[in-house]
């Protein structure tokens, strides 16, 4: 595992789940492939409902995007409400908007109910306008969100300065429904809770083949076979093997760096209200504080790419542009993760066979939507009722020119970080 796979979250995680590799044959009601937010939420839901559940993770819980996440628990998707309705239609769109408006509450309720030690802070988030075009974007989002009943507030430049501690922004959109968590601790907490109510969780157990025969699914690993009535695949952007059911997406990389714990006076000058934040740039930047007073700042880009040096230099410039008082602070941790992006930025649920569903494509909004989708997909599979799903099933999903588009995003990020000074 490379250094850039070793996130700060691994070093500060207070949650642990007991697991071993699969070493025997089992028969269960539901087999879940993937130990991220979606898969762990599904396993917890099904086990609480009394079903026999087995979760198979190829690496360790939270190995993929769930353990490399920024940790912003947002309401909704990247898309504004009218775009969601445009893609799904009014009824299905309104239903998804309402479900995901409540997603932060679903996350924080689980944390409180099960005592998940993931540093939950529900002080809202700030979407910050980095330009006049960014202000227009926020004004459009504000109008659509308020029309949909969201309790968001549009903040002036001065209000944004007071809330962020930075004079860099033209406006900010505040969403009080949202918050921040330690993302790896949250997903490991979900897995722990699932085992406590009877789910069996196996790590370092990649599924090598998946087939349906005689009315039952067989999931083979190198050291055991699971027979299941139903299957849920939640591998997202960290899919291994199983090419027949591999999700189609555009891989987009996102990296983060953190400072060490800051002094009390520096902490007080950065995001004093405790919100998490990100900007409106096409090559987006996020910034937040953790429970130990570290600033965590990130942007689009792959630290394993040839342009990684430009990313590292850019993030230091960005940090000091936002917060000049941090000019002498070192960036001591750096890591990256992979996002599964879809062309329309909507998650996709596909049918991979009888009583078997796959989900992917949260496009960087994995915590809230992943938790909700995992719960509802488990409920749907156990009841054999597609009406319980958060979005309609699609028969298949394809992405054109995924490799070229991945290169476009990474090259754009590298060039932006190399030559452009946003502030």
């Amino acid at each position: 595992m490379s250094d850039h796979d070793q996130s700060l979250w691994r070093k500060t995680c207070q949650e642990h789940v007991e697991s071993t590799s699969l070493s025997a044959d089992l028969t269960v009601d539901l087999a879940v492939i993937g130990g991220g937010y979606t898969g762990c939420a599904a396993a917890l839901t099904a086990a609480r409902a009394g079903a026999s559940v087995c979760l198979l993770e190829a690496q360790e819980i939270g190995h993929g995007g769930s353990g490399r996440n920024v940790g912003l628990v947002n309401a909704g998707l990247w898309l504004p409400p009218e775009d969601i309705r445009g893609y799904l239609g009014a009824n299905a769109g309104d239903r998804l908007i309402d479900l995901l408006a409540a997603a932060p509450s679903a996350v924080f309720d689980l944390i409180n109910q099960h005592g998940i030690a993931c540093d939950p802070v529900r002080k809202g988030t700030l979407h910050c306008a980095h330009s006049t075009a960014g202000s227009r974007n926020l004004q459009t989002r504000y109008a659509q969100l308020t029309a949909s009943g969201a309790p968001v507030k549009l903040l002036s430049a001065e209000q944004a300065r007071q809330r962020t501690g930075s004079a860099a922004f033209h406006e900010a959109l505040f969403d009080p429904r949202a918050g921040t968590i330690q993302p790896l601790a949250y997903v490991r907490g979900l897995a722990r809770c699932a085992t406590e109510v009877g789910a069996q969780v196996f790590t370092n157990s990649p599924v090598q083949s998946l087939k349906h025969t005689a009315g039952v699914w067989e999931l083979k690993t190198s050291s055991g076979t699971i027979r299941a009535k139903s299957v849920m695949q939640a591998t997202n952007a960290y899919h291994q093997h199983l090419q027949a059911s591999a999700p189609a997406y555009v891989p987009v990389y996102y990296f983060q760096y953190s400072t060490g714990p800051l002094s009390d006076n520096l902490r007080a000058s950065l995001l004093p209200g405790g919100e998490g934040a990100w900007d409106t740039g096409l090559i987006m930047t996020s910034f937040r504080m953790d429970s130990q007073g570290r600033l965590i700042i990130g942007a689009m880009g792959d630290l394993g790419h040839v342009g990684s040096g430009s990313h590292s230099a850019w993030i230091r410039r960005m940090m000091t542009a936002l917060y000049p008082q941090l000019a002498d602070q070192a960036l001591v941790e750096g890591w990256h993760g992979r996002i599964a992006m879809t062309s329309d930025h909507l998650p996709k649920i596909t049918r991979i066979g009888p009583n078997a569903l796959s989900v992917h494509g949260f496009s960087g909004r994995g915590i809230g939507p992943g938790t909700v989708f995992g719960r509802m997909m488990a409920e749907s599979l156990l009841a054999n009722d597609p009406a319980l799903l958060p979005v309609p099933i699609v028969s298949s999903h394809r992405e054109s020119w995924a490799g070229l588009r991945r290169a476009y995003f990474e090259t754009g990020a590298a060039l932006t970080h190399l030559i452009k000074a946003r502030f």
Side-chain angles (χ1 to χ4, degrees):
M1 186 175 292
S2 72
D3 289 342
H4 295 316
D5 292 329
Q6 294 285 4
S7 70
L8 170 71
W9 308 131
R10 291 177 179 271
K11 298 180 180 181
T12 62
C13 184
Q14 298 299 306
E15 280 285 349
H16 178 71
V17 55
E18 296 290 340
S19 65
T20 61
S21 300
L22 180 68
S23 59
D25 296 343
L26 296 173
T27 298
V28 296
D29 296 319
L30 175 65
V32 179
I33 307 171
Y37 303 126
T38 311
C40 291
L44 173 59
T45 299
R48 284 200 305 194
S52 55
V53 185
C54 168
L55 185 149
L56 296 166
E57 163 56 44
Q59 302 288 336
E60 59 185 46
I61 298 299
H63 168 79
S66 298
R68 306 157 195 258
N69 198 282
V70 176
L72 302 181
V73 186
N74 284 301
L77 300 170
W78 286 118
L79 293 175
E82 286 305 313
D83 288 1
I84 295 174
R85 296 186 185 101
Y87 283 117
L88 294 179
N91 291 338
D94 282 341
R95 181 169 182 265
L96 182 62
I97 290 165
D98 290 344
L99 285 170
L100 297 187
S105 289
V107 170
F108 287 106
D109 286 349
L110 282 171
I111 292 168
N112 292 333
Q113 180 181 355
H114 295 284
I116 299 175
C118 63
D119 300 328
V121 177
R122 197 173 187 184
K123 297 292 183 65
T125 53
L126 296 165
H127 192 182
C128 302
H130 77 290
S131 66
T132 54
S135 289
R136 290 193 294 271
N137 177 285
L138 292 190
Q139 289 160 13
T140 298
R141 288 177 179 271
Y142 173 74
Q144 293 188 23
L145 286 166
T146 53
S148 298
V152 295
K153 296 180 180 179
L154 193 61
L155 307 181
S156 68
E158 176 57 24
Q159 290 171 319
R161 185 195 66 76
Q162 293 173 359
R163 299 291 276 272
T164 62
S166 173
F169 300 111
H170 295 240
E171 289 180 309
L173 188 63
F174 172 64
D175 191 338
R177 300 170 295 180
T180 62
I181 57 173
Q182 209 278 26
L184 178 60
Y186 173 59
V187 69
R188 287 186 177 173
L190 288 178
R192 170 183 61 79
C193 297
T195 64
E196 289 173 352
V197 292
Q200 299 183 76
V201 172
F202 298 100
T203 52
N204 298 302
S205 301
V207 178
Q208 298 176 335
S209 68
L210 172 65
K211 68 176 181 178
H212 190 258
T213 179
V216 176
W217 286 96
E218 289 187 354
L219 298 81
K220 291 188 178 294
T221 74
S222 62
S223 55
T225 298
I226 302 295
R227 292 169 58 84
K229 296 177 184 177
S230 300
V231 171
M232 177 178 158
Q233 181 174 317
T235 51
N236 207 38
Y238 284 80
H239 185 80
Q240 291 184 220
H241 310 299
L242 303 180
Q243 292 308 308
S245 59
Y249 63 92
V250 177
V252 174
Y253 286 75
Y254 200 88
F255 71 94
Q256 297 173 77
Y257 277 93
S258 74
T259 67
L262 301 175
S263 64
D264 289 344
N265 64 317
L266 285 177
R267 291 187 199 190
S269 69
L270 280 59
L271 294 163
E275 303 94 343
W278 74 100
D279 71 13
T280 54
L282 179 62
I283 306 300
M284 187 191 82
T285 301
S286 62
F287 51 105
R288 56 162 294 193
M289 303 297 292
D290 80 346
S291 63
Q292 299 302 308
R294 301 175 181 89
L295 175 70
I296 300 165
I297 183 167
M300 289 173 60
D302 180 359
L303 293 183
H305 186 265
V306 67
S308 62
S310 66
H311 299 324
S312 301
W314 159 264
I315 213 66
R316 168 157 287 286
R317 295 199 307 272
M318 175 62 76
M319 180 178 74
T320 55
L322 290 173
Y323 299 112
Q325 65 270 40
L326 300 184
D328 62 347
Q329 294 293 320
L331 291 170
V332 296
E333 306 283 352
W335 67 98
H336 66 190
R338 192 161 62 244
I339 295 168
M341 190 81 72
T342 59
S343 298
D344 56 12
H345 305 298
L346 284 172
K348 306 299 178 187
I349 296 177
T350 56
R351 191 183 303 282
I352 56 178
N355 304 314
L357 299 173
S358 176
V359 60
H360 78 284
F362 295 109
S363 298
R365 285 288 181 99
I367 298 176
T371 300
V372 170
F373 271 59
R375 181 194 74 216
M376 298 181 75
M377 289 178 70
E379 292 168 347
S380 171
L381 285 166
L382 293 179
N384 193 23
D385 185 358
L388 298 177
L389 294 171
V391 293
I393 296 171
V394 296
S395 57
S396 63
H397 178 69
R398 298 288 180 265
E399 290 286 343
S400 300
W401 309 106
L404 287 176
R405 289 164 62 203
R406 180 258 191 264
Y408 168 81
F409 280 117
E410 182 54 38
T411 301
L415 289 174
T416 295
H417 294 166
L418 180 65
I419 64 175
K420 185 177 179 183
R422 185 174 293 165
F423 299 117

